[in-house]
């Protein structure tokens, strides 16, 4: 008999590290290194206008700039998530808070973020004197405000529409508030949160690009990043640098999509409560890699051990003994509400009076009227954009959405296109406008279309995909073709999705008007007549009364169209055109 | 020279297969395997199978909504290449457009026909009337209950007046009672004879539903979907799901479906062969005997009108008695004159006990219902048999009321002849104890 000279492979203590783990460990170390290295740049000395970071067009610097911009995006995202969880939770749980927080949220999301840059930039720089951190904060704040409202609304909405059975189960099993938040409310809101986060994050690139190189109050500020790289390329008319920046941006968006959002979307699938819509099952190779690795499990076990050894920290909200039914007493509510209402009313009226005072003290009445006229011009551009995007992309979106194989390929691509900051393409378009002698009055609409059209396409595809197969079969069986098919089935069926897309597109377009009604290539400037240009000029000049006037008018336009038009269409979509 | 064209089947399915590629493994998955089937005018064909038997896929191939991988579907002799205009479909999920009113949903069916608006309206209203939805024209589907929504689904299909109506599990999204109700109404419409389609193809996994509605039940096997065979349903309409013949057929099909390997045989209709249900004239034995005595008294052939006058009964009431006498071989009627036969005369003259024996012999010989009932009771070896057993069988051939009358007549004859005893408390029949 032969004695075993070597232990069998089963006898060896099994290495906890497989190839998947090695890859993940390496990726983690790399990530830590990059964050530490790039993050240090946030705190360099900064004394504008003398001491400012320089941006070099050397392509070798591009990866660094790209990563620096990306870091900003993620910091803003973390801030957005934290804000969303807190604000949404309070708004959903307190009736009184809700009565003010939700209308406020509604207004805030209608407000053009870019209109406030002059205020935020000067404010943050004053807050952190002598350090670049102030400017960084201003940029982060702009990105944050660009993405947070959507997410907060989504979370709030999930909280107030929490399935009744889940709520009852949490009550029956005596969950503490913290436990309910962690195990019921956040999971139930997860899918909406992830999707809104992904869409908002995509929109955030636009703000990164704008805020990294801005002129406020007659001073130019530069933050090292891919946005300021593009700005410098424009100033120096460097087409090669511009092309490289666009290429980098595309790579960056795809990489973040593959490494970050895809895995999260695929992971969030497990929180899906309705089985029906799971037809489009998201998959991610990164998530598969993570799942096949032992590392997360090992870390999880470690964490459990550590937690056991730590003294238990009770993070639960104080729990009231709740032996009786939770009907609240109603007696003194009316009085308190009245006082509360008067308080809020006073603040609102005060703010309006102050605003009106600031404006009227410097801006002549005639200019107020002409500013309103400029608002109408920009409004017409938004309308034109919606008509164009709908006419072009609805048929294409429906064709894609009705073909499952095509939509599987097309949907992620459209999502990436929607994330791509359209202002990177503005210089190229500007060159064409200059060459073809197209005035920016028309050209700015094209610039707005560049960014906003994808929301219409993306939602139309989603809407067409959601049309039940039975209805399509019915239409085929009833021999519906051509226009009758569109009129009876397709247009009504995709209407809710179209409304969602159009609202997003028009909101984006109002914001984009501030950067697309004034563009430059080298020393050549193009300006359109519009409210966006009015705000942009006032911002550059640091003209506070005109900023207030322009931004207020823009808010009025956005809020009014929302109330008078979109809200009604939305209600119609929710009632009449709701499927299933 | 003329050529005789055979009746064109409405649908002819020739060697239809459907194969889907498997995206993961790169292999393929056969949903339908070599399906051959014809559907003729005037019949309801049920495709019965479990999930995975491809019955819905087959339906979609016939409707031209899904292209077979192999084989051809001919509709009215023409190969189906796109959505089949000869067919209107009723969907399990109703497939109503929520943004259209009830009548607009029905009008969809006529959209492609380019008819004048007025005709569209009248036909749609008529279709709604047919399904009992008058007055709901302006309602939206979501205001209606599931059962009413499916009625709209039926109306939309009816308004097309298709050659073939395709029903894709139309009742399975409804609750049991609603489904039963709607199913019954559809069956009634079919039986009334002015159904707005020539034929019906019903896809279902519900055995009773198939028997209830279909003339033929095509049984499909699963994975891959194949036709295992078919069973003819010869039960009279309207069908009673509690009748023994219905139950026997349901049991039979259930057995077939739970045993994938059994060969499909026609149902052995034991229960119906148990009893001959040839109708009996409604006459009591006493009345028959009385009539015969009267005729015997007068000696010769007697006119029916005269007898009716003598007995002071209406001719309508006399005729069944006469018929019974003729059936039992006691009398002949020729040109309105009644003559007694030899045995009839003996019967008229006999004492009570003898008369009973004669009547028994004649009843066993000429009244098949009485004879077969007697056989059933004998076969039960003296155990009492509930009257419902016989009534159920009769129910399949007669209306409820007539079944009762037939039973009463047979019971009277049998009791008079000493063939049955009847316990009116227990409502049971049995052989008299010797």
């Amino acid at each position: 008999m032969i004695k075993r000279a070597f232990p069998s492979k089963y006898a060896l203590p099994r290495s906890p590290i497989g190839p998947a783990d090695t890859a993940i460990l390496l990726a983690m170390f790399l990530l830590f290194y990059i964050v530490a290295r790039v993050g240090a740049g946030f705190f360099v000395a900064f004394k504008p206008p003398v001491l400012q970071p320089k941006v070099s067009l050397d392509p070798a610097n591009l990866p660094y700039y790209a990563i620096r911009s990306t870091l900003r995006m993620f910091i803003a995202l973390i801030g957005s998530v934290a804000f969303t969880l807190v604000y949404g939770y309070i708004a959903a749980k307190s009736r009184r808070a809700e009565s003010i927080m939700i209308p406020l949220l509604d207004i805030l999301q209608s407000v053009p973020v870019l209109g406030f840059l002059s205020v935020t930039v000067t404010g943050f720089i004053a807050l952190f004197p002598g350090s670049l951190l102030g400017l960084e904060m201003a940029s982060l704040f702009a990105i944050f405000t660009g993405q947070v409202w959507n997410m907060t609304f989504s979370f709030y909405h999930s909280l107030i529409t929490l399935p009744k059975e889940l709520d009852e189960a949490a009550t029956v099993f005596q969950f503490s508030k913290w436990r309910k938040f962690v195990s019921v409310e956040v999971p139930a809101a997860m899918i909406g949160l992830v999707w809104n986060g992904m869409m908002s994050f995509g929109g955030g690139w636009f703000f990164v690009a704008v805020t990294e190189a801005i002129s406020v109050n007659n001073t130019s500020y530069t933050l090292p990043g891919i946005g300021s790289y593009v700005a410098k390329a424009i100033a120096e008319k460097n087409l090669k640098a511009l092309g490289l920046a666009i290429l980098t941006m595309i790579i960056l968006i795809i990489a973040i999509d593959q490494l970050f959002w895809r895995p999260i979307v695929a992971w969030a699938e497990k929180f899906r409560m309705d089985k029906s819509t799971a037809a489009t099952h998201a998959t991610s190779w990164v998530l598969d890699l993570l799942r096949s690795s032992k590392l997360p499990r090992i870390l999880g076990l470690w964490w459990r051990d550590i937690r056991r050894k730590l003294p238990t920290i009770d993070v639960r909200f104080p729990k009231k003994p709740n032996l009786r039914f939770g009907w609240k007493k109603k007696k003194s509510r009316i009085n308190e509400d009245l006082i509360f209402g008067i308080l809020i009313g006073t603040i609102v009226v005060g703010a309006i009076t102050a605003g009106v005072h600031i404006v009227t003290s410097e801006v002549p009445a005639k200019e107020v009227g002409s500013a309103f006229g400029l608002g109408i011009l920009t409004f017409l551009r938004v309308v034109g954009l919606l008509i164009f995007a709908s006419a072009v992309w609805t048929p294409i979106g429906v064709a894609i959405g009705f073909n499952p194989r095509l939509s599987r390929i097309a949907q992620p691509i459209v999502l990436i296109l929607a994330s791509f900051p359209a202002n990177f393409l503005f210089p190229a378009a500007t060159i064409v406008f200059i060459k073809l002698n197209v005035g920016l009055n028309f050209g700015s609409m094209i610039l707005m279309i560049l960014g906003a059209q994808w929301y219409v396409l993306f939602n139309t595809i989603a809407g067409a995909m959601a049309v039940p197969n039975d209805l399509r079969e019915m239409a085929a069986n009833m021999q519906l073709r051509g226009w009758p098919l569109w009129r009876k089935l397709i247009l009504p069926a995709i209407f809710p999705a179209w409304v969602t897309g159009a609202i997003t597109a028009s909101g984006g377009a109002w914001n984009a008007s501030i950067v697309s009604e004034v563009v430059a290539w080298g020393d050549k400037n193009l300006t359109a007549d519009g409210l966006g240009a009015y705000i942009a000029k006032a911002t550059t000049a640091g003209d506070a009364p005109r900023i207030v006037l322009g931004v207020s008018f823009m808010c009025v336009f956005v809020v009014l169209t929302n109330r008078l038009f979109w809200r009604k269409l939305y209600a119609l979509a929710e009632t009449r055109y709701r499927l299933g | 020279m003329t050529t005789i064209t055979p009746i064109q089947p409405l649908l002819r399915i020739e060697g239809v297969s459907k194969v889907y590629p498997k995206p993961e493994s790169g292999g393929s998955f056969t949903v339908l395997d070599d399906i051959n089937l014809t559907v003729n005018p005037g019949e309801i064909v049920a495709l019965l199978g479990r999930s995975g038997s491809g019955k819905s896929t087959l339906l979609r191939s016939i409707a031209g909504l899904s292209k077979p991988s192999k084989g051809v579907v001919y509709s009215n002799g023409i190969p189906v290449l796109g959505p089949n205009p000869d067919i209107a479909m009723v969907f399990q999920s109703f497939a109503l457009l929520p943004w259209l009113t009830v009548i607009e949903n029905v009008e969809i069916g006529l959209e492609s026909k380019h008819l004048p608006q007025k005709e569209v309206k009248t036909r749609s209203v008529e279709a709604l009337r047919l399904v009992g939805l008058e007055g709901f024209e302006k309602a939206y589907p979501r205001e209606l209950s599931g059962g009413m929504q499916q009625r709209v689904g039926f109306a939309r299909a009816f308004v097309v007046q298709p050659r073939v109506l395709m029903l894709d599990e139309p009742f399975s999204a409804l609750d049991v009672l609603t489904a039963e109700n709607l199913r019954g109404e559809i069956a009634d419409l079919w039986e009334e004879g002015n159904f707005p389609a020539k034929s019906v193809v019903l896809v279902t996994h519900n055995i009773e539903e198939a028997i209830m509605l279909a003339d033929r039940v095509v049984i499909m096997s699963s994975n891959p979907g194949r036709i295992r065979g078919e069973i003819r349903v010869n039960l009279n309409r309207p069908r009673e799901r509690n009748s023994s013949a219905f139950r026997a057929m349901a049991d039979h099909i259930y057995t077939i479906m739970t045993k994938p390997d059994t060969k499909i045989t026609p149902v052995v209709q034991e229960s119906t062969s148990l009893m001959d249900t040839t109708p009996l004239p409604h006459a009591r034995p006493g009345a028959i005997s009385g009539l015969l005595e009267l005729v015997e008294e007068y000696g010769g052939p007697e006119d029916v009108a005269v007898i009716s006058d003598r007995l002071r009964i209406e001719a309508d009431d006399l005729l069944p008695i006469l018929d019974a006498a003729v059936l039992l071989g006691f009398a002949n009627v020729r040109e309105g004159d009644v003559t007694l036969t030899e045995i009839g005369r003996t019967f008229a003259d006999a004492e009570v006990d003898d008369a009973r024996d004669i009547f028994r012999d004649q009843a066993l010989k000429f009244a098949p219902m009485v004879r077969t009932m007697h056989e059933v009771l004998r076969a039960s070896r003296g155990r009492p048999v509930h009257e419902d057993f016989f009534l159920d069988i009769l129910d399949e051939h007669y209306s409820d009321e007539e079944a009762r009358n037939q039973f009463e007549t047979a019971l009277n004859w049998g009791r008079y002849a000493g063939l049955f005893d009847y316990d009116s408390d227990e409502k049971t029949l049995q052989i008299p104890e010797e």
Side-chain angles (χ1 to χ4, degrees):
Chain A
M1 248 180 86
I2 305 158
K3 266 203 148 184
R4 268 173 197 268
F6 303 101
S8 81
K9 67 175 181 175
Y10 302 104
L12 282 169
R14 278 214 256 166
S15 159
I17 307 290
D21 302 296
T22 319
I24 289 164
L25 273 177
L26 282 175
M28 271 165 57
F29 288 139
L30 192 65
L31 189 68
F32 286 142
Y33 173 75
I34 290 171
V35 170
R37 179 75 199 281
V38 176
F42 278 37
F43 302 98
V44 294
F46 173 66
K47 288 206 180 68
V50 194
L51 182 57
Q52 279 218 52
K54 287 277 175 292
V55 173
S56 138
L57 285 187
D58 183 357
N61 287 329
L62 249 179
Y64 171 76
Y65 291 145
I67 290 166
R68 205 142 160 197
S69 296
T70 310
L71 206 53
R72 272 179 209 120
M73 291 284 286
F74 276 100
I75 293 170
L77 181 68
I78 292 166
S80 299
V81 171
F83 178 89
T84 291
L85 295 180
V86 174
Y87 195 100
Y89 188 84
I90 295 171
K93 294 293 162 177
S94 155
R95 199 189 65 92
R96 183 160 305 145
E98 183 182 18
S99 71
I100 171 135
M101 286 169 91
I102 294 311
L104 183 66
L105 201 59
D106 199 24
I107 303 240
L108 282 173
Q109 76 166 351
S110 315
V111 164
V113 179
L114 296 180
F116 289 108
L117 278 183
S118 56
V119 183
T120 52
V121 169
T122 29
F124 276 111
I125 288 174
L127 219 56
F128 300 93
S131 165
L132 193 59
L133 194 58
L135 198 55
E136 289 284 1
M137 290 300 282
S139 170
L140 288 176
F141 187 75
I143 304 167
F144 165 84
T145 46
Q147 59 186 198
V148 72
W149 316 127
N150 255 340
M151 295 168 65
T152 310
F153 253 125
S154 152
F155 184 59
Y156 162 77
H157 192 256
S158 301
L159 285 183
I160 59 167
T161 57
L162 185 75
K164 204 158 166 251
E165 311 87 71
L166 288 185
D167 193 39
E168 287 168 350
T171 313
V172 167
F173 293 116
Q174 308 253 326
F175 278 18
S176 67
K177 279 184 182 172
W178 171 253
R179 180 76 199 283
K180 189 179 169 192
F181 182 72
V182 169
S183 341
V184 180
E185 287 163 339
V186 173
M190 190 60 86
I191 289 198
L193 213 49
V194 166
W195 275 92
N196 271 290
M198 181 163 71
M199 297 298 286
S200 303
F201 186 87
W205 289 111
F206 178 83
F207 297 104
V208 169
V210 174
T211 54
E212 279 176 0
I214 45 169
S215 297
V216 171
N217 305 343
N218 294 318
T219 318
S220 297
Y221 297 95
T222 311
L223 268 178
I226 192 160
S228 46
Y229 186 90
V230 170
K232 183 138 198 215
I234 292 171
E236 295 185 5
K237 290 193 177 186
N238 188 335
L239 267 178
K240 188 177 149 243
L242 187 65
L244 278 173
I246 290 173
L247 186 70
T248 310
M249 196 65 232
I250 292 171
I251 294 170
L252 203 54
I253 289 173
I254 293 174
I256 291 171
D257 179 68
Q258 287 296 311
L259 297 174
F260 186 73
W261 288 113
R262 283 291 115 198
I264 289 184
V265 167
W267 168 78
E269 279 296 313
K270 71 175 181 176
F271 298 108
R272 197 175 281 288
M273 276 185 275
D274 49 337
K275 300 278 178 288
S276 54
T277 37
T280 52
H281 197 72
T283 53
S284 158
W285 60 270
V286 175
L287 186 68
D288 292 343
L289 187 73
L290 279 169
R291 279 186 174 152
S292 69
S293 139
K294 300 180 205 80
L295 216 57
R297 228 167 314 145
I298 294 166
L299 288 177
L301 287 178
W302 278 0
W303 172 238
R304 218 176 57 189
D305 283 352
I306 292 166
R307 256 183 35 175
R308 269 201 208 125
K309 279 166 198 155
L310 286 174
T312 1
I313 309 157
D314 201 351
V315 278
R316 287 183 296 179
F317 289 99
K319 194 183 163 196
K320 279 182 263 172
N322 191 13
L323 297 173
R324 282 172 294 125
F325 286 108
W327 288 318
K328 284 171 190 158
K329 287 176 196 147
K330 274 192 167 175
K331 55 176 190 196
S332 63
R333 167 133 297 164
I334 299 159
N335 268 333
E336 285 173 29
D337 277 354
L338 195 67
I339 296 164
F340 183 71
I342 289 170
L343 206 71
I344 297 302
T346 322
I347 294 171
V348 171
V349 170
I352 290 175
T353 347
V356 169
H357 182 73
I358 293 174
V359 172
T360 47
S361 62
E362 282 212 20
V363 185
K366 207 175 145 197
E367 198 185 321
V368 174
S370 67
F372 188 79
L374 293 176
I376 289 178
L377 281 179
T378 304
F379 173 76
L380 290 178
R381 281 189 194 108
V382 175
V383 172
L385 152 111
L386 287 178
I387 292 171
F388 171 85
S390 304
V392 171
W393 293 114
T394 308
I396 295 173
V398 169
I400 294 174
F402 275 2
N403 181 337
R405 223 169 359 160
L406 201 58
S407 48
R408 256 199 302 282
I409 302 164
Q411 228 183 1
I413 295 176
V414 177
L415 206 59
I416 287 170
L417 286 173
S419 302
F420 188 84
N423 37 4
F424 277 37
L425 300 176
F426 285 6
T430 311
I431 296 169
V432 175
F433 294 157
I434 292 170
K435 280 260 162 65
L436 298 179
N437 220 358
V438 177
L440 200 62
N441 272 330
F442 178 74
S444 62
M445 189 173 85
I446 295 174
L447 295 182
M448 281 149 77
I449 288 170
L450 281 180
Q453 59 186 348
W454 308 117
Y455 296 109
V456 175
L457 176 59
F458 183 78
N459 281 287
T460 315
I461 294 176
M465 283 170 77
V467 177
N469 209 30
D470 270 358
L471 291 188
R472 286 171 58 193
E473 287 187 338
M474 182 278 292
N477 180 232
M478 293 297 160
Q479 312 287 322
L480 288 187
R481 280 182 214 98
W483 176 236
L485 178 66
W486 279 84
R487 191 165 48 96
K488 297 277 177 186
L489 175 67
I490 297 176
L491 289 180
I494 62 164
F495 180 71
W498 177 84
V499 170
T500 310
I503 290 177
T504 320
S506 79
W510 278 105
N511 242 324
S513 74
I514 295 174
V515 287
S516 57
E517 288 181 350
V518 180
V519 289
W521 179 245
D523 46 9
K524 194 142 176 101
N525 271 303
L526 293 181
T527 310
D529 300 321
L531 197 54
Y534 185 84
I535 295 174
K537 275 185 243 163
T539 304
T540 312
D543 186 347
R546 284 185 177 78
I547 293 174
V548 171
L549 179 70
V551 171
S552 307
F553 271 162
M554 198 171 269
C555 289
V556 167
F557 269 102
V558 173
V559 170
L560 278 186
T561 41
N562 277 352
R563 298 268 151 173
L564 298 179
F565 186 65
W566 293 122
R567 184 87 35 113
K568 294 219 166 99
L569 286 191
Y570 205 74
L572 200 62
E574 283 283 289
T575 52
R576 185 129 180 240
Y577 296 101
R578 187 164 50 90
L579 279 165
Chain B
M1 216 182 105
T2 56
T3 51
I4 300 161
T5 47
I7 298 171
Q8 177 86 270
L10 285 178
L11 294 172
R12 207 167 76 241
I13 295 141
E14 288 186 354
V16 163
S17 300
K18 181 83 185 178
V19 181
Y20 285 110
K22 265 187 184 161
E24 309 291 301
S25 59
S28 63
F29 174 70
T30 307
V31 184
L32 287 175
D33 186 26
D34 191 29
I35 303 288
N36 293 287
L37 184 71
T38 51
V39 175
N40 294 310
E43 64 172 352
I44 300 183
V45 177
L47 301 176
L48 181 67
R50 300 208 224 170
S51 55
S53 60
K55 51 195 193 300
S56 280
T57 310
L58 178 56
L59 195 77
R60 276 159 180 73
S61 298
I62 298 172
L65 300 172
S66 138
K67 199 173 166 292
S69 314
K70 233 171 43 197
V72 189
V73 174
Y74 294 93
S75 179
N76 221 34
I78 302 161
V80 172
L81 299 171
N84 185 346
D86 293 337
I87 277 167
M89 212 159 146
V90 176
F91 294 82
Q92 181 178 3
S93 62
F94 321 145
L96 302 180
L97 300 177
W99 42 85
L100 299 183
T101 60
V102 164
I103 189 121
E104 287 168 338
N105 263 294
V106 175
E107 283 169 1
I108 285 256
L110 298 174
E111 183 83 31
S112 64
K113 301 227 185 318
H114 307 293
L115 299 170
Q117 187 54 41
K118 205 171 165 199
E119 195 186 339
V120 169
K121 192 113 245 156
T122 42
R123 278 176 70 171
S124 303
V125 169
E126 172 58 24
L128 281 173
R129 196 193 56 75
L130 213 55
V131 298
L133 277 183
E134 287 164 301
F136 286 95
E137 288 86 354
K138 294 271 176 280
Y140 282 95
R142 69 175 100 255
E143 300 166 34
L144 305 182
S145 67
M148 286 161 89
Q149 291 191 32
Q150 189 59 299
R151 281 166 197 267
V152 181
F154 271 102
R156 182 179 57 199
F158 285 165
V159 80
V160 182
Q161 301 186 339
R163 287 208 171 83
V164 183
L165 180 71
M166 293 254 161
L167 307 179
D168 185 13
E169 308 213 10
F171 310 110
S172 53
L174 307 174
D175 69 79
V176 180
L177 289 177
T178 311
E180 183 65 32
N181 186 16
L182 190 53
R183 196 158 35 221
E185 285 187 38
I186 299 304
D188 289 347
L189 269 181
W190 179 260
E191 283 147 24
E192 280 165 22
N194 50 0
F195 201 74
K198 285 197 186 128
S199 298
V200 178
V201 176
L202 165 73
V203 160
T204 183
H205 59 251
N206 183 331
I207 296 171
E208 295 198 347
E209 182 172 300
I211 302 174
M212 199 75 189
L213 294 171
D215 299 304
R216 278 194 290 149
V217 177
V218 175
I219 298 175
M220 299 188 68
S221 64
S222 306
N223 303 321
R226 288 198 183 107
I227 291 182
R228 283 179 64 196
E230 66 172 59
I231 289 183
R232 267 191 182 281
V233 187
N234 287 322
L235 306 177
N236 291 3
R237 294 170 188 274
R239 290 171 182 165
E240 293 285 338
R241 71 165 67 242
N242 291 323
S243 74
S244 49
F246 192 107
R247 295 254 57 90
M249 181 161 277
D251 288 346
H252 182 64
I253 296 181
Y254 181 79
T255 312
I256 291 171
M257 291 190 62
T258 45
K259 290 180 188 157
D261 303 323
T262 48
K263 224 172 112 50
I264 293 182
T265 51
V267 65
V268 188
Q269 296 199 356
E270 291 167 28
S271 52
T272 41
S273 67
L274 275 176
M275 184 173 165
D276 192 314
T277 54
T278 314
L280 299 178
H282 299 302
R284 293 181 158 271
I288 301 168
S289 158
L291 173 76
L292 295 177
E293 278 168 30
L294 188 86
V295 177
E296 170 68 2
E297 225 172 85
Y298 286 89
E302 200 60 72
D303 190 71
V304 175
V306 176
I307 298 171
S308 125
D309 197 40
R310 287 265 162 75
L311 287 175
R312 296 172 190 283
I313 53 174
E314 296 293 321
D316 278 356
D317 296 327
L318 178 63
L319 285 177
I321 305 172
L322 216 48
D323 285 346
V326 172
L327 177 77
L328 290 167
F330 291 140
N332 288 313
V333 178
R334 196 171 295 128
E335 290 165 5
D337 286 345
V338 181
T339 46
L340 297 195
T341 59
E342 192 64 33
I343 194 94
R345 222 168 286 129
T346 320
F347 178 67
D349 295 339
E351 295 296 312
V352 176
D353 278 3
D354 291 339
R356 197 185 64 189
D357 288 345
I358 296 169
F359 189 88
R360 180 175 61 207
D361 290 347
Q362 295 304 101
L364 286 175
K365 214 185 281 178
F366 297 114
M369 197 188 298
V370 176
R371 188 190 72 231
T372 49
M373 281 170 74
H374 179 65
E375 281 165 4
V376 168
L377 293 177
R378 261 214 334 235
S380 78
R381 291 171 205 286
R383 280 193 304 270
V385 175
H386 199 270
E387 63 174 25
D388 283 353
F389 177 83
F390 302 105
L391 282 168
D392 277 353
I393 298 172
L394 287 166
D395 268 345
E396 284 156 33
H397 302 272
Y398 303 105
S399 70
D400 278 359
E401 198 190 342
E402 180 57 18
R404 186 85 221 172
N405 290 338
Q406 285 291 333
F407 175 74
E408 297 279 348
T409 302
L411 184 64
N412 281 330
W413 290 16
R415 287 170 89 180
Y416 177 81
L419 289 169
F420 331 137
D421 272 355
Y422 181 70
D423 183 330
S424 59
D425 294 329
E426 300 288 326
K427 305 211 179 299
T428 52
L429 287 78
Q430 69 185 98
I431 294 275
E433 279 160 37
E434 293 299 323

